[in-house]
Amino acid sequence: MSGQSITDRITAAQHSVTGSAVSKTVCKATTHEIMGPKKKHLDYLIQCTNEMNVNIPQLADTLFERTTNSSWVVVFKSLITTHHLMVYGNERFIQYLASRNTLFNLSNFLDKSGLQGYDMSTFIRRYSRYLNEKAVSYRQVAFDFTKVKRGADGVMRTMNTEKLLKTMPIIQNQMDALLDFNVNANELTNGVINAAFMLLFKDAIRLFAAYNEGIINLLGKPLRPAL
């Protein structure tokens, strides 16, 4: 059955009563409907990250709270919404995530409600690990590899050798976590996992480009003389 569940409607109504438009929109973006978060809700949340009067920790905490749901659909859509805001939202959103000691604790997540729940739970565990790694990478280098300026005067091409040697393994760790998602074409069976896959696919292209530019920079460095 498509459409919002009774639980979704009650949750949204509760936030309407408390006057939290941000929390209400998070709930609307992470309903039980088996489809990706709606664009209008994602666009609103992106706009919120640019508003100085919006409490970013509260927004993030609402998303974290949604990942404690027992439904794979709600949890998966919460991760997708978080990823979307990391990529397209104001940088202060990913800065806040990077400042936290812990993010998603979903390594044991399992929706036992049906066969689809079992299948999707595997990808939820992998996806949450990638988002954790993405935040850790930002904490280590203070920028997002998928957003850095590219080209001859780009970040990875102009980095000094010492910093470059420390940075390359960080990109590799993030790329490894992304590739561990490891989904096959015949497993892209619904709009939820498809939405996650598109975000991961775009990140993969940009991460590879950043890594490639780092390698070009490294190969162009003069060799140190042997002692």
Side-chain angles (χ1 to χ4, degrees):
M1 179 179 177
S2 62
Q4 294 184 23
S5 70
I6 295 297
T7 305
D8 293 329
R9 294 175 189 274
I10 292 173
T11 304
Q14 287 173 336
H15 289 296
S16 294
V17 171
T18 59
S20 176
V22 172
S23 297
K24 182 180 178 182
T25 305
V26 167
C27 292
K28 287 184 174 181
T30 58
T31 62
H32 289 76
E33 296 174 274
I34 304 180
M35 58 185 290
K38 291 181 179 177
K39 183 178 183 298
K40 64 180 180 180
H41 299 140
L42 293 175
D43 287 347
Y44 176 78
L45 292 173
I46 288 171
Q47 179 186 338
C48 287
T49 66
N50 289 307
E51 299 289 340
M52 295 311 295
N53 62 332
V54 170
N55 188 320
I56 293 296
Q58 182 183 6
L59 168 56
D61 288 344
T62 305
L63 286 164
F64 293 141
E65 182 184 342
R66 294 297 279 167
T67 64
T68 63
N69 198 283
S70 59
S71 166
W72 73 264
V73 185
V74 173
V75 176
F76 217 151
K77 290 170 77 168
S78 302
L79 296 176
I80 292 166
T81 302
T82 302
H83 191 180
H84 196 88
L85 295 181
M86 292 171 87
V87 174
Y88 299 109
N90 189 285
E91 191 170 7
R92 64 198 189 112
F93 182 78
I94 192 171
Q95 284 174 345
Y96 173 70
L97 297 188
S99 72
R100 290 177 58 109
N101 291 326
T102 58
L103 286 183
F104 300 108
N105 184 21
L106 295 169
S107 57
N108 295 316
F109 178 81
L110 183 61
D111 182 340
K112 301 178 181 179
S113 63
L115 182 59
Q116 190 174 37
Y118 276 94
D119 291 341
M120 291 298 109
S121 293
T122 299
F123 295 109
I124 284 172
R125 294 192 295 269
R126 295 172 183 174
Y127 193 24
S128 64
R129 177 175 172 261
Y130 170 69
L131 295 183
N132 286 345
E133 191 63 43
K134 186 176 175 73
V136 168
S137 294
Y138 189 96
R139 183 189 310 156
Q140 292 174 309
V141 298
F143 60 82
D144 185 344
F145 291 115
T146 67
K147 294 182 179 180
V148 293
K149 181 181 179 182
R150 297 200 291 268
D153 59 344
V155 173
M156 298 303 297
R157 293 281 287 274
T158 56
M159 195 174 287
N160 65 54
T161 305
E162 182 180 2
K163 189 173 181 181
L164 193 60
L165 291 173
K166 292 178 180 177
T167 302
M168 295 299 282
I170 298 172
I171 302 181
Q172 185 66 62
N173 288 339
Q174 189 175 334
M175 180 66 85
D176 287 346
L178 189 154
L179 294 177
D180 280 346
F181 191 74
N182 195 30
V183 65
N184 297 317
N186 60 357
E187 293 171 316
L188 298 173
T189 55
N190 60 73
V192 181
I193 193 172
N194 285 339
F197 176 76
M198 288 308 301
L199 286 169
L200 288 167
F201 179 70
K202 290 175 182 177
D203 269 16
I205 292 172
R206 293 163 182 159
L207 281 172
F208 179 79
Y211 192 82
N212 189 50
E213 295 211 329
I215 292 294
I216 291 171
N217 184 1
L218 202 57
L219 292 176
K221 300 290 187 187
L223 295 174
R224 291 183 179 180
L227 296 177

